[in-house]
């Protein structure tokens, strides 16, 4: 069901005018920056960016075509479609050395996990946990290895359950990492409170000890309790190391936990009220105030963006980020120099017509360019 967040009148009018303009330009064959017009690609000339990445800067493009974390087919083609859109060429044009890693073979990995399952190894409220767990274990190992080599893991999903693997690998290699979660949804569920049992709504909840003490109770996720290689313990995300941007569709239990744990959360109301610039100031101030040199990870769910710009996704909710707000989030985090890893998820071409699917893929591509240093000036 589509939900409509409250808005202040002025912000509402500005957004609606912008949406109508974008729609009319699309019909007329013009462009509002959503792929209908050509734009030149300029790398930033700021050499202080990506200071957590070894020289020469190398981006490791990791395809994670996961689809078991949610009920729709199609998310598994996200990495393929982003590559076909010319992403790798753009990354090279932005000055990166590009290590294009073949997509993780989730078909084989997940099939093997399912084959070894039994009735007693199926969690009643964590759907396909064996498949999701096996795929995320492989992803975690790969992400951790690339970070330890000083590279920039760029993870292309796939549904957002891959965040379990991304976060596990990141927190094993760099446990002080701060996380910016750009999403319409909080993804703070665990099986005991989930309303759907879909694991794309659980990656953050499963990383917080305050919400689940022992993850070995979930079949397929036993590996999350293994000690890190450096002896720092299993990967966990402290609540004060997380900031949400763009929330607008939150489950009742998630709402309660956000407040109880003191998680910093900026909803669409905050963005309407304060503006995206002030929101990002406050978000980064929260993450960096006690450790200005900490690395950052940005997880970008395409459904954070309003469906007028990104219709091809599984859990679209009206009232999201505008095209420019979406890019500003990425650009602003890059300007800190602290971004050390990023992922983009939930692009699903099957859930919109041809034009909507193309626009969503192009937007995802452009957001990745922004995350990797594309500069307006």
């Amino acid at each position: 069901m589509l939900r409509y967040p409250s808005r202040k009148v002025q912000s509402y009018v500005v957004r609606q005018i912008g949406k109508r303009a974008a729609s009319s330009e699309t019909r007329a064959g013009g462009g509002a920056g959503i792929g209908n017009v050509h734009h030149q690609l300029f790398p930033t000339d700021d050499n202080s960016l990506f200071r957590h990445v070894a020289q020469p800067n190398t981006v490791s493009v990791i395809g994670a075509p996961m689809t078991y974390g949610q009920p729709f087919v199609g998310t598994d083609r996200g990495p393929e479609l982003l590559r076909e859109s010319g992403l790798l060429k753009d990354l090279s044009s932005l000055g990166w050395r590009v290590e294009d890693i073949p997509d993780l073979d989730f078909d084989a990995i997940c099939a093997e996990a399912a084959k070894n399952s039994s009735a007693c190894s199926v969690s009643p409220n964590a759907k396909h946990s064996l498949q999701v767990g096996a795929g995320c274990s492989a992803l975690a190992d790969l992400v951790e290895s690339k970070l330890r080599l000083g590279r920039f893991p760029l993870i292309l999903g796939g549904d957002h359950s891959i965040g379990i693997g991304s976060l596990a690998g990141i927190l094993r290699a760099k446990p002080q990492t701060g996380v910016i979660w750009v999403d319409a949804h909080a993804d703070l569920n665990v099986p005991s409170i989930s309303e759907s049992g879909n694991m794309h709504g659980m990656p953050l909840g499963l990383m917080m000890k305050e919400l689940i003490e022992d993850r070995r109770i979930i079949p397929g996720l036993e590996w999350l309790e293994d000690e890190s290689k450096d002896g720092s313990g299993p990967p966990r995300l402290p609540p004060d190391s997380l900031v949400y941007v763009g929330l607008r569709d939150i489950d009742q239990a998630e709402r309660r936990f956000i407040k109880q744990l003191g998680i910093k959360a900026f909803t669409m109301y905050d963005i309407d009220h304060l503006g995206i610039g002030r929101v990002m100031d406050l978000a980064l101030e929260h993450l960096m105030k006690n450790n200005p040199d900490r690395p950052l990870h940005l997880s970008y769910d395409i459904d954070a963006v309003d469906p007028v710009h990104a219709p091809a996704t599984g859990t679209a909710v009206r009232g999201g980020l505008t095209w420019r707000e979406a890019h500003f989030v990425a650009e602003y985090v890059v300007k800190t120099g602290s971004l050390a890893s990023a992922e983009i998820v939930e692009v699903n071409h099957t859930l919109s017509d041809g034009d909507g699917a193309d626009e969503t893929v192009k937007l995802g591509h452009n957001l990745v360019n922004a995350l990797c240093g594309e500069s307006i000036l």
Side-chain angles (χ1 to χ4, degrees):
M1 182 177 71
L2 297 177
R3 301 181 184 179
Y4 300 79
S6 300
R7 297 187 176 280
K8 291 199 170 184
V9 173
Q10 183 178 7
S11 178
Y12 178 85
V13 171
V14 169
R15 284 180 189 281
Q16 297 310 309
I17 291 172
K19 290 173 184 177
R20 289 196 295 271
S23 177
S24 64
E25 285 172 350
T26 299
R27 290 194 299 271
I34 53 176
N36 297 303
V37 294
H38 174 71
H39 75 281
Q40 297 185 66
L41 194 69
F42 292 110
T44 179
D45 56 4
D46 187 347
N47 294 324
S48 67
L49 300 185
F50 304 106
R51 63 174 177 267
H52 294 285
V53 182
Q55 293 292 332
N57 287 355
T58 301
V59 58
S60 295
V61 181
I62 301 171
M66 177 62 73
T67 192
Y68 287 99
Q70 47 79 59
F72 301 109
V73 299
T75 54
D76 51 328
R77 284 203 63 205
E80 174 189 354
L81 292 171
L82 287 167
R83 286 188 176 96
E84 288 178 352
S85 71
L87 177 63
L88 303 182
K89 180 181 177 182
D90 279 1
L91 295 177
S92 181
S93 297
L94 289 170
W96 290 90
R97 290 193 176 187
V98 179
E99 179 190 23
D100 186 22
I101 300 169
D103 287 358
L104 289 164
D105 189 355
F106 283 162
D107 285 343
I109 293 169
C110 297
E112 184 68 20
K115 183 175 71 176
N116 294 330
S117 69
S118 62
C120 63
S121 66
V122 176
S123 175
N125 207 34
K127 296 174 182 175
H128 309 296
S129 66
L130 289 166
Q131 293 92 330
V132 171
C136 286
S137 177
L139 176 59
D141 290 344
L142 185 54
V143 169
E144 179 183 11
S145 69
K146 296 306 174 184
L147 282 170
R148 293 189 184 279
L149 289 173
R151 294 176 184 169
F152 184 95
L154 173 63
I155 305 127
L156 310 178
D159 70 60
H160 219 164
S161 68
I162 67 166
I164 300 167
S166 301
L167 289 174
I170 290 163
L171 294 169
R172 289 193 308 220
K174 296 179 181 290
Q176 298 302 314
T177 296
V179 175
I180 302 158
W181 204 261
V182 186
D183 202 322
H185 309 90
D187 297 345
L188 197 59
N189 280 296
V190 291
S192 61
I193 64 167
S194 174
E195 296 177 9
S196 69
N198 294 325
M199 295 195 71
H200 71 163
M202 301 186 190
L204 289 169
L206 293 171
M207 286 296 132
M208 293 197 178
K209 196 164 189 175
E210 294 82 356
L211 300 185
I212 183 166
E213 184 75 21
D214 188 346
R215 294 163 291 190
R216 289 174 294 190
I217 65 173
I218 305 173
L221 297 186
E222 297 86 354
W223 58 273
L224 278 174
E225 295 299 330
D226 293 343
E227 290 284 326
S228 298
K229 291 178 181 178
D230 59 5
S232 59
R236 291 288 190 175
L237 180 66
D240 64 359
S241 290
L242 169 66
V243 171
Y244 287 114
V245 175
L247 291 180
R248 60 189 183 278
D249 187 14
I250 312 169
D251 293 345
Q252 184 175 357
E254 293 177 313
R255 219 179 256 261
R256 184 172 71 251
F257 287 133
I258 288 171
K259 293 176 180 177
Q260 288 179 354
L261 299 176
I263 297 172
K264 185 65 74 174
F266 295 97
T267 69
M268 287 308 302
Y269 172 86
D270 299 307
I271 292 170
D272 288 342
H273 176 58
L274 300 172
I276 193 63
R278 182 60 179 151
V279 162
M280 293 309 297
D281 280 340
L282 294 170
L284 291 168
E285 178 185 322
H286 173 78
L287 288 176
M288 311 297 282
K289 61 185 176 184
N290 294 325
N291 184 0
D293 295 321
R294 78 187 310 184
L296 298 176
H297 170 66
L298 195 151
S299 184
Y300 216 129
D301 190 323
I302 200 75
D303 74 20
V305 186
D306 193 278
V308 74
H309 302 298
T313 189
T315 47
V317 188
R318 287 185 183 177
L321 299 172
T322 65
W323 196 90
R324 264 308 306 159
E325 286 171 343
H327 284 75
F328 181 85
V329 169
E331 293 161 355
Y332 196 79
V333 174
V334 168
K335 290 293 185 183
T336 68
S338 295
L339 190 64
S341 54
E343 67 189 349
I344 190 156
V345 300
E346 298 284 357
V347 173
N348 190 337
H349 71 293
T350 68
L351 298 178
S352 183
D353 59 22
D355 289 342
D358 289 345
E359 287 178 12
T360 305
V361 172
K362 289 173 183 175
L363 175 61
H365 177 160
N366 289 339
L367 290 174
V368 171
N369 284 350
L371 287 166
C372 290
E374 182 181 5
S375 177
I376 294 174
L377 184 63

